[in-house]
Structure formats: structure tokens, C-alpha cells
Amino acid sequence: MARAVTTQRKALNTAIAWAIGLLIFFPILWTILTSFKTEAQAIADPPVFLFFDWTLENYAVVQERSNYMRFLWNSVFIAGGSTILGIIIAVPAAWSMAFVPSKRTKDILLWMLSTKMLPAVGVLYPIYLIFIKLGILDSRLGLTVVLMLINLPIIVWMLYTYFKEIPGEILEAARMDGASLRNEILYVLTPMAIPGIASTLLLNFILAWNEAFWTLNLTAAQAAPLTAFIASYSSPEGLFFAKLSAASTMAIAPILILGWFSQKQLVRGLTFGAVK
Amino acid sequence: MATQHSRSAARLMMAPAVILLLGWMLVPLIMTLWFSFRKYLPLRGGDQGWVGLENYARFISSSSFWPAVQTTLIIVGGVLIITVAFGIVLALLLDQPMWGQGVVRILVIAPFFVMPTVSALVWKNMFMDPVNGILAHLWKFFGAEPVQWLSQESLQSIVMIVSWQWLPFATLILLTAVQSLDSEQLEAAEMDGAPFLKRFWFIILPHLSRAITIVILIQTIFLLSIFAEIFVTTGGAFGTRTLTYLIFQRVLESQNVGLGSAGGVYAIILANIVALFLMRIVGKNLDT
Amino acid sequence: MGRIQLNQVQKKFGDVEVIPPLDLEINDGEFVVFVGPSGCGKSTLLRLIAGLEDTTAGHIEIDGDDATMLPPAKRGLAMVFQSYALYPHMSVRKNIAFPMRMAKIPQDEQDRRISSAAKALNLTDYLDRRPGQLSGGQRQRVAIGRAIVREPAAFLFDEPLSNLDAALRVGMRMEISELHKKLATTMVYVTHDQVEAMTMADKIVVLHAGVIEQVGSPLELYRNPRNLFVAGFIGSPKMNFVEGSEAAKHNAQTIGIRPEHIDVSTTEGAWQGTVGVAEHLGSDTFIHIHGIPGCDPMTVRASGDVMVNHGDTVYLTPHEEHIHKFDAQGLRIG
């Protein structure tokens, strides 16, 4: 809205909005700050906000005690692997739906979304059983496949909406220019859809990174990602505020940064294009 | 607008995604259905045969069922009301001209990217701890008795934590919808002398109705299956056992798979009812 | 070589028959224009030849080989699209090189063809730009360049000039005609603009509702239109159709007289009428005349010096030898 507003009005807006924004952000900010305190300062009464002796000690302790790097690697492997695998399977499917639509395309798309609505707990035991039978319980591979499957509908959907925006004539031109289907997708469609593919990658990486039902229930020691790493701090003996904060900061920092880049695509991805 | 070649290629290229999702949906679903009709205790005698609808009857008549339904409804309803109401206010606020709009937006959205286990743990310990939590300090500062958040006000506490996580989602979607509002329409109403409340009620709210519906439907689906927040904070104690958590306990903690599966079927039916409405809206949107 | 033959080619979309079975022969080196009003199936026909659509029935032969089932990539044809369909993520050079890259033509040969095409099309200075940085006319040239380097059996043009402004269109029209003279390759060109058809074609195919109304050279179509549709579609301003007693005098249901085949006089003539709108183009004046029985208004093309005003009474005399006669079915007689 390009409307003239008075400076006072704008200042008021700014003050209210910043106050609310900081209030909402405060738990995260507080966690980050606390991670740099000593344990004593972390539970000081009254609480100290900024004026304390900053220390990195907690990060060292957390890494030493719980082998943070292994959990981090598991998270990266599982979230990254499931997203890339999902994209590889989804690109051809989205191509088909966007450029060779048939009467059933809409039904297939909706059906795919409906699988996303299946409550995980309803199929927990069968999946658990299958994982035991296949010997992939507590394995990165197993978890990667599951997360790929739960995010596949969103990936197909997002790519479909991005592909729809590419004019079909350009793909026809590629076909006339002698490109095989593989080359058409590889050299023409994919480069043109790079922004869309990138945001799809980003959003689904975040969703997989934060997924906390299957990662908690299908892993134990070997394949546990950061969600489980943090959950292990909920037991009373792990209750040290500063270290808890350091562990939390390490678990959310990478994704917070990625998340800020993907905020625009978030709406499209999570509402299946119903809100633009 | 396609040839036989491209149509058969399309079918072939759609096949992996379709087959995988079909398998992912059907295999566990059929197994759950199968288990739900059997007495199946993996640690206490294994599969003990067909019991018909007994598991369904037992799951519903168990003393924990109705409280779990109630808990689920309170959490879902509470979070929906809070996130939608505050989401609308925040969306309208963020749409106003101000300095540092981008930064405020980022601050507001941030909680969505915090993994559920982290947010539950941070809230549980650093905010809701009755001795050392920030909220306890705040209460003491005003001379009040600190609240035993997660044991005495457990349900409210969970609603608060989950609302904090989902408020960004509601805000972001509603903000997108607010921004698509035709400003000329608002200006016309302003010229006609409509006060803010009237403009909100007759122009803004109807414009947002679709986005609100979508927020409600999508959040409902996710909220029905929240897990980590309860797993980490109360472990289902103090009246925070939702339907999802109850089923989880039946299946993995007490290893009564038959009973848990019957509960799972109920959960699936419940989710499908919500999903049906969502699909309608999304499907309609596909035509345009 | 580029001889294209359509045998009983038919196209249906679902139950709708867009093109009833038709035969057509396009000879090697010919410039053929498909012309007709929008929705007449001309673009569909082109896409059938290209292989972007399947034929429902019938066969398409290219140089004597049955190409009906061949995918577009294997037909050896090049196409220039209405929207140009350039690859936005590639430079002009890469755009032009793309078909050669797909055909695995050696790099030095690619470079040679690119530079000669660029020179011919005035694109040498733009080779490293992206399509987004070019004007409409330049994009059009890139699209043509991309088609040329393939050295195709035939070029297919799908309304290539409709996105350009009027002045540019005339220029590009000449360039394409010149290109045809130089390459002597078969070109199939789709347009709804009969001026483009008349000026460029060796052979015009007039299409109406998927049916070929007439095939012939521009002058044949102008002089001997086979039916009312072709008569009305070819020629600008449109042919005047006269019905009723005047037509009956010539033993026809309808007679047609082109505006350039009528003499105007302020004193005497066969028909009397009043001047409506007079469009002064400088060289010519198009006068719309009301009050002629069986035809209202009648358009007359007079020389630029003729000065008439709105409301003047004028007298018209048609050139008897240029009167076209049509029967009740709209077919030409005599």
C-alpha cells in the first residue's frame, strides 16, 4: 500500500511491531544468550541479561559429552538425503503433471497430498515392524527413506506449481531442436526452474531436519539426529541450563538461518498453493 | 496437447512417485487394520488370534479414552483460537508502514524453524521451571507465587508452547493474504467514512476467510498429531495425554499392538474427515 | 530435401473433430502459407506436421518416409514459435547452438554455423546477451537463427510476427522471404494475416473450420477464389458481395466485386449511393458507400486525388470482366 502516513503513526507502528517481534523472538534470544553463560549465571536470581562473563565453555562440554558432531552428521545426512532423493523422484513426476496433464492429474495430486494427512501414529507399529524385519531400525538409511516419503507429496506439489509457470512452448522448442526427454529436462526445464527447485530443497530440508515423530521413534543410538539429541536432555540429570542452551543453539542455528531465506516459499509450500 | 510419446513418457515418469506413495500408504494401513482385529502382544505371547471388534470397543471404553479426546480437543482448539486471533492482529500490524519491517518479520517467523524438541525443552526448563524459570522470576518480581506450570497448569502450558510454535505459520499465511487485498477497496471504504472496525468486519475479514480456513485445516492436521512437545515436557502425565500420545503408549510402551492399532484407525478416520475439507479447497484452487 | 505429404490426416481432441481428414502436398523448396481466421485449425495442422501433436488418423510423409509416428526430435524439422520460445537461461550463442549440441555436431562446425547465422541475421554483437536483454525483433531473429543452424528439411513458422509491432513486421516479412530465396528450403508458415500470406507465399492454403477451402498461388486465389469464403478472406479491403436482383442479372445468387474494380463518378454510373466514411490513405482513398441495393455499405478503392465528402451522392460502375459469380452454395460459377 503506497499511502502517505504521518511520521508519528509510523513510529508508533514501529514501536508496537518491534515490541511484539522481540517478545516472540525472546525465547530464542534467551536460549542463545544463556548458552554463553556459566551454569551459575544461568540460574542467577535475578536473571542476568547481557552483562555476564561470556564463555564458550558450554559448547566444548556439550560436544565432548554427547558427541554433538555425530548427531549433527546424522541430521545432515537424513535431512539432506531425504530431500535430494525426494527431488530426484519428484522432478519427473512434476514434469508429467505440469506439461502432460490428463483428466486424472488433479486426482493424483490430491491423492498424493492426502497421504501426507495420514497420522503417523496410526501406522507407527507396522513401520516399526517392517524396520525390524528389514534390519533398518536405527539406521540412517531407513530414516532417510521415511522422511523422503512423508515429504514427497510436498516436494511434488511445490515443483508442480513452479513448473506450471514455465511456458510449454519452450519445452516444445527443445523437442523440435532434437532434445530427448532426458535432455529436455536436464538442459532446459531444470535450469529454468532452478529458483523453484532451490526453494523446494530448502523448505523440505527444514521440514526433515525438524521432524520429531519418526526420528524419535525409529532411532536409538546409531542414527539419532539432533531432535533425539535434544530430547535426551529432558531427563533430569541433564538439566544444566547453560549446556542445554548451548545444545539447543547448535541444533537450531543452521536451520534458523536457512529458514529466513525460505520464508517466502514457506507459504506456497505449506498451503499447497492455495494461498498466494 | 500432447502426443502418445509424451503421454506414455509421462506415465513412466510418474510411476516411481505414485508407486512409492501407494506402498507407503497401503502397506502400513492394511497392517494396522489387520492388527486392530487381533489380540497382539509382542512381548506377552505375540499374536493370539482374531478378536473381531474387541480392540475397538476396548479402546473406546477404556478410562483413558475420553480424557484423551478431551485433551486433544482442548489443545487443538486452544492453539487454533490463539494462533488465528493473534495471527490476524500480527498480519495487519506487519502490513503497516514501519521501519525495519523485514527484521520484525524475521523475528516473528523464527519460532517456526525451531525444532519441536528444542522449543519444548527450552520452554519447560528455562521458562516454566518453577524455581529457575524466567516466568517464575517474573511472578516473584510482582510478588506472586510462581506457578507450577507443567504439573498444575499442564494443559495451558502445552497450549502456550504449541501456540508459540504455530503463530508464525498463521501470521505468515494471513500476511500473504492481507497483502493481496486490493488497497483501493479499503481506500474507497475509508472515503465512504467507514470506521476501522467496520472496514475490518466487512472488507478485511471476508477477504481473509479463505486463508483462515486453510490455516485452520492445515494446523488441525498437524496439531492432531503433535508428539514431541508432550514427549519431552510431561510424557503424557498431568492430563496431557492426547489421542496420539495414548496410541503411542499403547503400541510402544505397553506393547499392546492390537489395541493401539484400533486407536490408530480412529485417528486415521478423524484426520481424514479434516483432510476431506482441506482437499476440497485445494482441489477447487487447482482448476484456476 | 523437404517434401511433405499429408494423406487423409485427421485430428480430434476428444470427440471434437478439429481437422476432418485432409490431403495436402508441400513440394521441396516451396514457401507454403496456412492462412485462416483464428480457430480454423491452421496451428494444429502445423503442430501435426511438427510432431507436437498426434494424428488421429492418416499419414504424414516427409521426403517419402512415413513420419507419422516419429517424435518431433527425429523429424528433421525446425520450428519458430509465436512466443519465440527462446531458452531464457542461455546466451544467444548457446540458444543458437542448442540444436547442434543435441545433434552432437563438432564444436568447430558449431562455431562456424553460429557465426554465419549471426552475420546473416545481424546478431553478431548480441551473441553473449541473454534473450531477456533483446528487443522483440532481435528475439525473433535468434529464434530463426536457432532454426537455420540445424539445416532442417523444412522450417515451420507458427505466427512468428504476431508479437511484433507493425513497422517491424513488414521488415521481418521481407527478411524471411529473402531467407527463403537464399536457402531454398521448404517453409511452412502459419498466419491469420492475409497480407503476410499474399506477400510471402508461393502457395497459400486457406483453412476454415479445419477444412482446406482452396490451395493455390496468391494470384490464383485473388483472381479465381473457389468460394465465397476465400473470396472474402483474400484481398484487402474485402470483396463486396451483392445479393438480390443485381446478382440475379448475372444469373448468380451472389456476385462479388473487389473495391479496386469499381469506378466512381459524381455524375453517372450503374448504381447510385451516398458517401459514408472516406478513409484517405494518401495514395488511395477507401470510400464506404451506402444505398446500393443488395450490398450495404459497398467499399470502393479510388485514387488518392478523388475528393468526396460525407453525404455526397456518387455513381458506381463495376468492371464487368472482374465480377465473380457464386451459386446458392457459395461456390464459384463461371
Side-chain angles (χ1 to χ4, degrees):
Chain A
M1 279 198 280
R3 300 179 57 190
V5 275
T6 60
T7 312
Q8 286 104 311
R9 172 84 188 278
K10 199 170 171 184
L12 187 69
N13 287 338
T14 308
I16 298 174
W18 274 87
I20 294 179
L22 285 172
L23 189 69
I24 290 174
F25 188 69
F26 184 71
I28 298 171
L29 181 67
W30 188 247
T31 307
I32 296 171
L33 286 175
T34 307
S35 73
F36 294 108
K37 295 174 184 171
T38 62
E39 289 299 346
Q41 285 167 330
I43 54 168
D45 184 14
V48 283
F49 190 59
L50 280 174
F51 304 103
F52 54 84
D53 302 319
W54 292 65
T55 170
L56 285 172
E57 180 195 356
N58 301 309
Y59 288 93
V61 173
V62 167
Q63 158 60 12
E64 198 178 305
R65 202 183 60 176
S66 54
N67 201 358
Y68 167 78
M69 292 310 283
R70 205 189 67 225
F71 291 99
L72 175 72
W73 168 238
N74 282 342
S75 270
V76 171
F77 184 97
I78 293 166
S82 67
T83 306
I84 292 168
L85 202 61
I87 296 253
I88 292 172
I89 295 171
V91 165
W95 175 89
S96 306
M97 293 173 179
F99 299 113
V100 194
S102 70
K103 279 175 221 136
R104 279 171 310 164
T105 299
K106 187 177 149 180
D107 298 331
I108 293 176
L109 266 172
L110 288 179
W111 164 74
M112 282 190 171
L113 282 187
S114 74
T115 67
K116 177 84 192 142
M117 318 277 168
L118 202 65
V121 73
V123 294
L124 172 60
Y125 193 76
I127 298 295
Y128 188 74
L129 202 63
I130 292 171
F131 268 50
I132 292 177
K133 285 269 152 70
L134 294 178
I136 51 172
L137 193 68
D138 195 21
S139 76
R140 285 194 296 251
L141 177 73
L143 213 50
T144 305
V145 170
V146 165
L147 291 193
M148 184 274 284
L149 285 167
I150 61 171
N151 283 336
L152 190 57
I154 297 190
I155 300 179
V156 171
W157 188 273
M158 285 182 75
L159 290 178
Y160 166 78
T161 61
Y162 286 114
F163 286 178
K164 283 280 277 193
E165 287 168 12
I166 292 172
E169 269 199 353
I170 292 186
L171 298 190
E172 289 182 346
R175 248 166 270 169
M176 291 303 297
D177 282 346
S180 63
L181 189 54
R182 191 180 136 272
N183 287 346
E184 172 187 327
I185 291 180
L186 216 57
Y187 295 121
V188 180
L189 177 65
T190 308
M192 282 181 73
I194 277 292
I197 292 175
S199 29
T200 309
L201 256 165
L202 206 56
L203 180 62
N204 283 281
F205 185 81
I206 293 168
L207 291 178
W209 182 277
N210 286 344
E211 203 288 325
F213 183 81
W214 294 112
T215 51
L216 288 178
N217 282 313
L218 295 178
T219 63
Q222 285 306 309
L226 287 170
T227 43
F229 160 75
I230 292 298
S232 74
Y233 273 76
S234 67
S235 48
E237 66 268 26
L239 220 170
F240 295 103
F241 281 13
K243 290 183 190 61
L244 165 67
S245 299
S248 299
T249 306
M250 286 197 278
I252 62 173
I255 229 61
L256 267 185
I257 295 163
L258 288 183
W260 286 332
F261 286 115
S262 73
Q263 45 162 321
K264 286 242 169 64
Q265 283 68 43
L266 198 74
V267 175
R268 185 157 163 163
L270 289 179
T271 63
F272 315 116
V275 172
K276 281 178 196 136
Chain B
M1 297 287 273
T3 63
Q4 206 59 49
H5 283 284
S6 54
R7 266 192 295 274
S8 48
R11 266 196 292 275
L12 206 65
M13 300 213 302
M14 212 146 49
V18 170
I19 291 169
L20 278 172
L21 281 175
L22 205 63
W24 167 246
M25 185 183 77
L26 283 183
V27 172
L29 204 62
I30 290 170
M31 284 172 78
T32 295
L33 268 173
W34 169 253
F35 290 140
S36 72
F37 292 111
R38 302 186 78 83
K39 186 178 169 78
Y40 185 28
L41 306 159
L43 297 183
R44 286 163 287 157
D47 192 342
Q48 292 161 39
W50 186 266
V51 290
L53 291 171
E54 195 192 305
N55 286 322
Y56 288 91
R58 256 187 71 197
F59 191 86
I60 281 214
S61 59
S62 101
S63 61
S64 7
F65 176 72
W66 288 109
V69 170
Q70 198 186 353
T71 306
T72 309
L73 290 179
I74 291 176
I75 292 181
V76 172
V79 174
L80 281 180
I81 292 170
I82 293 175
T83 52
V84 170
F86 282 94
I88 293 174
V89 173
L90 269 175
L92 290 176
L93 182 67
L94 287 178
D95 190 44
Q96 302 295 314
M98 69 176 77
W99 290 290
Q101 199 163 26
V103 183
V104 176
R105 224 175 116 121
I106 283 173
L107 293 180
V108 171
I109 291 164
F112 191 77
F113 299 115
V114 176
M115 61 174 65
T117 47
V118 167
S119 83
L121 211 55
V122 164
W123 276 95
K124 176 191 179 185
N125 292 310
M126 296 175 40
F127 284 80
M128 292 175 167
D129 185 272
V131 181
N132 292 316
I134 292 274
L135 296 175
H137 288 301
L138 200 65
W139 256 242
K140 271 186 278 179
F141 179 79
F142 287 108
E145 183 68 22
V147 181
Q148 303 277 331
W149 288 99
L150 282 161
S151 45
Q152 285 169 0
E153 305 291 338
S154 49
L155 215 45
Q156 287 91 323
S157 304
I158 302 253
V159 168
M160 206 164 119
I161 297 173
V162 179
S163 298
W164 179 74
Q165 288 182 297
W166 283 93
L167 181 59
F169 174 78
T171 307
L172 203 58
I173 287 175
L174 293 169
L175 180 61
T176 312
V178 168
Q179 283 168 343
S180 72
L181 180 60
D182 180 11
S183 66
E184 278 184 9
Q185 217 183 67
L186 271 183
E187 278 161 9
E190 221 174 333
M191 296 294 287
D192 291 342
F196 176 76
L197 268 181
K198 278 216 164 126
R199 270 181 280 148
F200 176 76
W201 193 255
F202 290 109
I203 296 175
I204 299 175
L205 210 55
H207 176 79
L208 291 183
S209 61
R210 213 173 102 92
I212 292 172
T213 320
I214 286 164
V215 168
I216 289 176
L217 290 173
I218 290 176
Q219 280 199 28
T220 305
I221 284 161
F222 279 99
L223 294 176
L224 279 175
S225 54
I226 56 161
F227 174 78
E229 291 83 348
I230 295 166
F231 180 79
V232 172
T233 53
T234 62
F238 309 115
T240 59
R241 185 157 54 199
T242 58
L243 203 51
T244 296
Y245 210 81
L246 178 67
I247 298 165
F248 160 77
Q249 284 183 330
R250 289 286 174 272
V251 170
L252 281 196
E253 284 181 8
S254 39
Q255 292 274 326
N256 189 340
V257 174
L259 192 59
S261 298
V265 173
Y266 283 124
I268 291 169
I269 293 171
L270 191 64
N272 268 305
I273 295 171
V274 183
L276 211 66
F277 285 102
L278 182 62
M279 289 300 158
R280 278 228 172 132
I281 297 189
V282 173
K284 246 182 226 160
N285 208 58
L286 260 184
D287 294 331
T288 53
Chain C
M1 281 293 281
R3 205 167 62 87
I4 302 169
Q5 206 162 2
L6 308 187
N7 296 323
Q8 291 296 302
V9 167
Q10 183 199 24
K11 179 65 184 172
K12 284 186 188 173
F13 287 120
D15 293 333
V16 185
E17 188 178 55
V18 190
I19 296 173
L22 62 74
D23 294 310
L24 183 67
E25 197 159 332
I26 296 167
N27 295 318
D28 185 32
E30 224 171 9
F31 197 119
V32 176
V33 175
F34 294 169
V35 69
S38 58
C40 70
K42 56 191 188 298
S43 279
T44 307
L45 194 57
L46 191 76
R47 292 169 60 84
L48 287 173
I49 295 173
L52 294 170
E53 302 280 354
D54 281 334
T55 54
T56 308
H59 292 277
I60 296 172
E61 282 176 21
I62 298 172
D63 286 334
D65 299 323
D66 189 351
T68 318
M69 295 310 286
L70 279 184
K74 300 248 168 74
R75 295 194 182 191
L77 308 174
M79 185 149 166
V80 176
F81 290 85
Q82 181 172 8
S83 64
Y84 320 132
L86 300 179
Y87 310 122
H89 57 290
M90 297 183 197
S91 65
V92 168
R93 183 191 303 278
K94 290 233 169 87
N95 260 284
I96 297 177
F98 189 75
M100 296 188 283
R101 207 168 124 209
M102 292 298 111
K104 300 205 172 68
I105 288 172
Q107 190 62 46
D108 51 338
E109 173 66 9
Q110 287 192 23
D111 292 340
R112 199 188 58 73
R113 290 197 204 172
I114 291 171
S115 66
S116 83
K119 209 184 287 167
L121 293 161
N122 271 331
L123 287 170
T124 311
D125 296 339
Y126 305 101
L127 279 177
D128 294 314
R129 297 220 188 151
R130 293 280 175 100
Q133 298 165 298
L134 302 180
S135 70
Q138 287 165 338
R139 281 182 217 185
Q140 183 64 74
R141 273 196 266 271
V142 177
I144 293 173
R146 194 173 62 181
I148 291 175
V149 293
R150 284 197 66 182
E151 298 179 352
F155 291 93
L156 309 178
F157 292 91
D158 189 6
E159 306 224 17
L161 306 183
S162 58
N163 285 344
L164 299 178
D165 64 50
L168 219 50
R169 213 177 300 167
V170 176
M172 282 308 295
R173 214 161 72 193
M174 309 237 294
E175 281 189 42
I176 294 175
S177 290
E178 232 156 77
L179 195 69
H180 178 243
K181 298 274 178 300
K182 203 163 72 190
L183 298 175
T185 310
T186 312
M187 291 189 176
V188 185
Y189 188 107
V190 163
T191 180
H192 61 268
D193 181 352
Q194 61 94 22
V195 178
E196 274 176 30
M198 294 295 284
T199 50
M200 299 169 88
D202 294 326
K203 183 156 97 186
I204 296 179
V205 178
V206 183
L207 282 155
H208 179 43
V211 177
I212 295 181
E213 298 284 350
Q214 190 170 3
V215 179
S217 73
L219 286 181
E220 252 172 74
L221 261 53
Y222 176 81
R223 287 186 186 136
N224 298 311
R226 210 168 66 85
N227 55 30
L228 279 175
F229 180 79
V230 178
F233 196 79
I234 299 291
S236 173
K238 277 180 64 163
M239 183 187 280
N240 297 296
F241 293 121
V242 183
E243 288 175 341
S245 58
E246 286 297 329
K249 281 186 205 161
H250 293 88
N251 296 321
Q253 176 75 20
T254 312
I255 54 169
I257 313 142
R258 296 199 182 275
E260 50 271 42
H261 296 149
I262 301 171
D263 288 330
V264 191
S265 156
T266 49
T267 51
E268 55 177 353
W271 300 319
Q272 184 189 353
T274 42
V275 175
V277 174
E279 299 172 290
H280 296 279
L281 302 184
S283 58
D284 298 310
T285 303
F286 298 148
I287 312 166
H288 301 272
I289 291 154
H290 299 279
I292 311 291
C295 176
D296 195 64
M298 182 172 274
T299 310
V300 174
R301 176 176 167 181
S303 96
D305 327 317
V306 172
M307 281 298 154
V308 287
N309 292 315
H310 185 87
D312 288 355
T313 300
V314 288
Y315 299 90
L316 305 178
T317 314
H319 302 178
E320 281 299 326
E321 71 277 20
H322 285 134
I323 290 179
H324 305 268
K325 293 171 230 167
F326 302 96
D327 66 13
Q329 278 75 50
L331 290 177
R332 178 185 189 83
I333 36 176

